[in-house]
Amino acid sequence: MASSTAFSTSPPFLSNTNTTTSNRILFHINLSNHSTHLFSNARKKRLIRTSISAKQGNQNPLQYRKLGDSDLQISEITLGTMTFGEQNTEKEAHEILSYAFEHGINILDTAEAYPIPMKKETQGKTDLYISSWLKSQPRDKVIIATKVCGYSERSAYLRENATVLRVDAANIKESVEKSLKRLNTDYIDLLQIHWPDRYVALFGEFTYDYSKWRPSLPFAEQLRAFQELIDEGKVRYIGVSNETSYGVMEFVHAAKVEGLPKIVSIQNSYSMLVRCRFEVDLVEVCHPNNCNIGLLAYSPLGGGSLSGKYLDINSEAARKGRLNLFPGYMERYNISIAKEATIKYMEVAKKHGLTPVQLALGFARDRPFMTSSIIGATSVEQLMEDIDAFVTAERPLPQEVMADIESVFKRYKDPAIL
């Protein structure tokens, strides 16, 4: 197994230095036909390599933040891995992982359900690809976050003998044991509940359906199962994902009353296209002076939509994108007015001399309640551009940029709602 002789909270190349460069790759936007004219691939790659400044000597302009009440100091970018084993080969996964960690990212996010789309034939490949890469890495320098599935009647294949998945002691224990084996490690740094055991509005569903309430496992019972794994040294910290204010507060309350482990993080969708669900009340709940729950935001680019690549459906980037590769996947970004909002945000980016990616990731980066943005990439070039957006976009984004973002938001509040 990968060495686990010591826990480390210090990321590589840690520096408090903020570096802003003026090297930017400008995407010339032709809004009349809603398409994006890109540089030739060779020129684009050359310019990206020139402008990347994620690692300068022993200094790294990526910032690191404490995750909730834990002692984990994590990079402001978390590497998402859900494409490993579906859109990415093992070799490609290793290249992406190596580039990420060589350039200051110190945390990766996986799940027992990965890769996506969920399929019995590919389930677990993501972890196996990470495991083979992890063999050449110092384990204490890699923060591993993974997830146990919530309630599911369709994914019983994840367990040895189950007809439905629940977040109970037996399911959690089996999930963790299998994850540890696939990852070939002794412990998980952060174990998250992928989605709740109870009914909640999930994955694009905006409002709670009163009629879908169902009995669920008590919050304290779920925490007791995690307590056992923490006591055994197999899990360090726990968190939630796709969770609501009610769920977060019940978990925190149960931990306080019963003397059980407290959740330290929440992994929810957040971007310029998906703001309301978190900003309305979860911001207050998760505030450091209240429950102190760190936000790990997934889809900060709205599933890639905010890059503008899906505006021209015939472009190579759009054809290779997961929204087109997997019919029905995240279709809320394709069949809603999200495209109209994306065009407006791209106008803002062009006005201020930013790429669409710089605008979207800079916005997420600068939110006061953000701990880390989860960014997935299907190529090193894509990851290079994303890291570049973090380290080259002015920090924080100027007030006039934020004012223009808010003007668009007032017209298009969560436009991906169907």
Side-chain angles (χ1 to χ4, degrees), residues 31 66 82 87 106 113 133-134 155 157 170 269 285-286 301 343 377:
L31 293 167
K66 192 169 182 286
M82 72 178 189
Q87 292 173 262
N106 71 345
W133 172 81
L134 196 59
S155 307
Y157 62 82
S269 178
V285 172
C286 297
L301 287 171
I343 291 168

Side-chain angles (χ1 to χ4, degrees), residues 229-260:
L229 293 164
I230 291 172
D231 291 344
E232 293 172 2
K234 295 176 180 177
V235 172
R236 296 182 67 192
Y237 299 104
I238 58 172
V240 292
S241 181
N242 298 296
E243 191 51 277
T244 67
S245 293
Y246 168 72
V248 170
M249 295 187 73
E250 285 293 317
F251 272 119
V252 171
H253 179 70
K256 183 177 181 179
V257 171
E258 303 283 345
L260 294 166

Side-chain angles (χ1 to χ4, degrees), residues 77-235:
I77 299 176
T78 295
L79 183 67
T81 63
M82 72 178 189
T83 61
F84 296 177
E86 180 66 45
Q87 292 173 262
N88 288 111
T89 65
E90 186 170 19
K91 181 178 181 292
E92 290 168 341
H94 288 186
E95 290 171 350
I96 291 168
L97 284 160
S98 293
Y99 188 89
F101 280 79
E102 286 166 4
H103 291 79
I105 295 174
N106 71 345
I107 175 171
L108 63 84
D109 179 71
T110 182
E112 67 170 338
Y114 289 173
I116 297 296
M118 290 178 65
K119 291 184 293 187
K120 183 177 181 179
E121 296 76 22
T122 57
Q123 185 268 327
K125 274 192 173 183
T126 301
D127 283 352
L128 294 175
Y129 289 5
I130 292 169
S131 173
S132 55
W133 172 81
L134 196 59
K135 290 177 181 178
S136 62
Q137 308 298 317
R139 176 63 182 87
D140 64 324
K141 297 299 182 183
V142 179
I143 296 172
I144 296 178
T146 190
K147 299 181 284 292
V148 53
C149 288
Y151 182 98
S152 176
E153 297 176 3
R154 296 183 298 174
S155 307
Y157 62 82
L158 287 163
R159 302 287 176 261
E160 295 299 327
N161 296 292
T163 55
V164 61
L165 301 185
R166 302 299 301 270
V167 189
D168 58 18
N171 275 273
I172 293 171
K173 183 176 178 60
E174 182 178 342
S175 172
V176 168
E177 293 296 342
K178 288 181 175 179
S179 290
L180 290 172
K181 183 177 181 180
R182 285 192 303 270
L183 291 165
N184 194 29
T185 187
D186 300 324
Y187 65 94
I188 293 164
D189 295 285
L190 177 66
L191 179 62
Q192 306 151 97
I193 302 172
H194 206 155
W195 60 87
D197 184 76
R198 67 190 192 285
Y199 162 74
V200 296
L202 280 174
F203 307 126
E205 214 181 349
F206 189 73
T207 55
Y208 184 93
D209 187 334
Y210 187 88
S211 68
K212 291 184 179 179
W213 183 94
R214 64 170 181 264
S216 59
L217 291 161
F219 291 91
E221 181 179 335
Q222 296 175 61
L223 291 177
R224 276 192 285 272
F226 291 118
Q227 177 73 73
E228 289 184 21
L229 293 164
I230 291 172
D231 291 344
E232 293 172 2
K234 295 176 180 177
V235 172

Side-chain angles (χ1 to χ4, degrees), residues 273-294:
L273 297 176
V274 182
R275 292 176 56 176
C276 295
R277 287 289 295 271
F278 199 85
E279 289 186 14
V280 168
D281 52 15
L282 270 166
V283 168
E284 179 185 12
V285 172
C286 297
H287 194 286
N289 293 325
N290 295 327
C291 293
N292 192 23
I293 309 297

